[in-house]
Amino acid sequence: MKLSDISEYVNEKVSSSDISLSEYVTTDSLLQNKSGRVVATNLPPSPCSLTKFEIGDVLIANIRPYLKKIWLATESGACSNDVLCLRAKNGHSSAFLYAVLMQDAFYDYVMKGTKGSKMPRGDKDQIMDFKVSASLNEAEIGSFVTNIGQAIDNLTAINRNLPKALPPSAYLVA
C-alpha cells in the first residue's frame, strides 16, 4: 500500500488576511526532530493564499526534510506553501498517518527524491509513493504513538519548570 492510499494533500486555500498569527504555520514554526510547533513570529508581509488545515491534519516542512519537522494539528489554521498538509482519507486514522510519517524511514525516503542542494525540497509525487504497511489496527497504532508523544511533551514541560540545579557549594554543611 502507498501513502496515497491512506492520505491526500489538502488543497483548500484561505487568504493570509483571514487568519491570526496563532493560526499560522510555517517551516520556521515547525520544530526540528519531530518536536511539534511553536507560534509563528510573523504573518506573510503581503496578502497571499495559504493552505487551510484542520484538526488531525499532518503538517510537514517540505524544505530540508532531513530536519524532520512534523506536527499533528491540534487546531485549525493555515500554512505556508513550503509546508505540506496531508489528510487521512475516509476510513483511515489521522493518528496512524502521523505515526507513519514520524518514521525515520519516511524522511530517508523523502531525502532520496529531493530537488536542490542548498535548500532541498521533497518531491510531492514521490512522497505519495512511500510504502505503508497495511494494518487493521490503524487506530490502535496511531493512538499508541500519539500517547507516547503526549507523555514526552508532558515530561518536557515538567523539566522546563524544575528549578535550576543548585551550585555545589549549596550542598556543603557549615
Side-chain angles (χ1 to χ4, degrees):
M1 175 164 53
K2 294 180 183 179
L3 184 60
S4 61
D5 294 326
I6 66 166
S7 69
E8 59 195 357
Y9 289 116
V10 175
N11 294 314
E12 187 178 352
K13 299 293 182 182
V14 63
S15 172
S16 61
S17 58
D18 292 336
I19 64 160
S20 67
L21 187 59
S22 65
E23 298 170 308
Y24 182 53
V25 175
T26 182
T27 57
D28 291 336
S29 66
L30 290 172
L31 302 173
Q32 294 183 37
N33 298 315
K34 310 169 194 172
S35 298
R37 80 172 268 242
V38 294
V39 175
T41 54
N42 54 355
L43 286 166
S46 56
C48 62
S49 180
L50 303 171
T51 302
K52 183 178 179 182
F53 64 85
E54 302 294 335
I55 294 171
D57 288 344
V58 180
L59 282 65
I60 302 172
N62 196 33
I63 294 176
R64 298 186 295 177
Y66 57 84
L67 294 176
K68 302 175 185 175
K69 295 182 172 190
I70 184 171
W71 178 57
L72 177 61
T74 55
E75 56 197 60
S76 299
C79 59
S80 72
N81 293 324
D82 292 326
V83 175
L84 301 177
C85 180
L86 289 95
R87 183 170 293 155
K89 289 183 175 179
N90 284 338
H92 295 281
S93 162
S94 61
F96 177 72
L97 173 62
Y98 178 66
V100 165
L101 300 177
M102 286 281 288
Q103 298 176 78
D104 284 341
F106 170 72
Y107 293 96
D108 294 342
Y109 173 81
V110 172
M111 285 305 297
K112 290 178 184 172
T114 57
K115 299 172 185 168
S117 57
K118 185 176 179 185
M119 297 283 274
R121 225 175 256 281
D123 179 302
K124 290 175 70 173
D125 293 329
Q126 181 247 2
I127 289 170
M128 282 300 185
D129 288 336
F130 180 68
K131 300 278 189 247
V132 176
S133 296
S135 175
L136 298 176
N137 299 319
E138 282 187 19
E140 290 177 28
I141 292 169
S143 178
F144 178 76
V145 169
T146 55
N147 287 341
I148 288 173
Q150 186 61 51
I152 291 169
D153 292 346
N154 291 342
L155 291 171
T156 301
I158 289 168
N159 284 341
R160 269 192 233 113
N161 291 319
L162 290 174
K164 300 291 182 206
L166 296 173
S169 62
Y171 297 105
L172 296 176
V173 177

